[in-house]
Amino acid sequence: MKRRDALKAIGVSVMASGLLFHRCSSEKANRVVSRINLDLKDGRELWERERFEELNSYTFFDQHEKETLVELVDLILPADEHSLSASEVEVPDFIEFIVKDQPELQQPMREGLKWIDDYAKQQFQAIFVGITIGQKTHILDRIAYPEQERSELQLGISFFTLLRELTASGYFTSKAGIDYLGYVGNRPNVWEGVPTEILRQFQLTHLIT
């Protein structure tokens, strides 16, 4: 199975199961359920808009971390003749938003980004963004498809598993990702009358217009 096809399969599971977003706290759930006076705008309640504005008012990843993240997500989901790359549909911004909304992801992501730089320096004497595409792929292949979970790779393996999940979630909930999956969601039926073949079957051809 090609890498993009594998990620497409993950994307289907994202759409079907709400991957990642099941981590929403019970407090948030209670606020949604118990709220009586709804103030909807663009499909969001007031508290959702306030939360969105709060999370967008500051940044979590520094510039170097963001550059590394862009490199990584595009290696996971590169552009091809059918679709855009992960960074082109703003997956890094999605990940930034998610780790601010779910603080328990912040330490694993930050430690993972540091680990991948340290491992690149150990193997190739340069940080991850400074090595060749072949060297980057070599590192990712070791943590994406580990033959055995060697202790020195464990943090990298855990990090890449989380990053791959976040990347797939971000990509396949974007417009480009949804279009790539061919997902159309629920659509209202359009009534065009009884099919002609049914009218003929019941000898109601006089009703055909």
Side-chain angles (χ1 to χ4, degrees):
M1 181 183 288
K2 294 181 180 179
R3 184 182 306 184
R4 184 173 284 274
D5 290 337
L7 268 294
K8 182 174 180 179
I10 295 174
V12 172
S13 70
V14 169
M15 300 298 292
S17 64
L19 189 63
L20 280 182
F21 303 107
H22 70 278
R23 294 192 177 109
C24 291
S25 68
S26 59
E27 178 187 352
K28 289 183 186 177
N30 289 336
R31 279 195 291 173
V32 174
V33 172
S34 65
R35 191 176 182 88
I36 297 174
N37 297 317
L38 301 182
D39 179 16
L40 296 175
K41 182 180 179 181
D42 299 327
R44 293 192 181 107
E45 294 183 39
L46 176 61
W47 73 265
E48 291 175 304
R49 297 202 306 275
E50 291 172 347
R51 178 65 171 164
F52 184 81
E53 291 169 2
E54 174 194 352
L55 295 178
N56 281 328
S57 68
Y58 67 97
T59 58
F60 173 73
F61 294 116
D62 62 34
Q63 185 61 33
H64 172 66
E65 289 171 329
K66 189 70 173 287
E67 290 171 359
T68 306
L69 200 56
V70 168
E71 296 267 355
L72 287 166
V73 299
D74 279 351
L75 284 164
I76 293 172
L77 274 175
D80 61 17
E81 65 273 20
H82 302 297
S83 54
L84 302 172
S85 71
S87 67
E88 289 176 308
V89 299
E90 301 180 344
V91 167
D93 292 334
F94 168 85
I95 295 175
E96 163 87 15
F97 184 88
I98 290 297
V99 300
K100 289 188 293 189
D101 188 48
Q102 300 177 25
E104 68 273 15
L105 301 180
Q106 293 178 7
Q107 183 175 344
M109 286 298 296
R110 178 150 280 159
E111 288 182 349
L113 290 168
K114 182 179 184 304
W115 180 91
I116 210 158
D117 266 347
D118 291 344
Y119 191 73
K121 285 188 283 188
Q122 176 189 328
Q123 297 292 312
F124 304 111
Q125 295 72 56
I127 59 175
F128 189 79
V129 296
I131 59 179
T132 68
I133 186 67
Q135 291 167 337
K136 292 170 184 173
T137 301
H138 172 79
I139 291 175
L140 295 193
D141 283 346
R142 296 202 70 192
I143 57 178
Y145 314 107
E147 295 180 3
Q148 56 184 4
E149 297 191 3
R150 296 167 53 181
S151 59
E152 71 270 21
L153 297 178
Q154 187 55 58
L155 196 154
I157 293 168
S158 298
F159 164 68
F160 191 79
T161 299
L162 173 60
L163 178 64
R164 182 165 46 195
E165 182 180 296
L166 285 165
T167 301
S169 295
Y171 192 94
F172 291 109
T173 52
S174 71
K175 183 181 185 304
I178 291 170
D179 289 345
Y180 183 75
L181 289 174
Y183 179 75
V184 298
N186 294 326
R187 290 184 171 181
N189 293 325
V190 177
W191 174 248
E192 296 179 345
V194 178
T196 300
E197 60 272 20
I198 300 299
L199 292 175
R200 287 198 177 103
Q201 178 183 344
F202 291 94
Q203 301 179 356
L204 297 171
T205 53
H206 63 283
L207 296 178
I208 297 176
T209 58

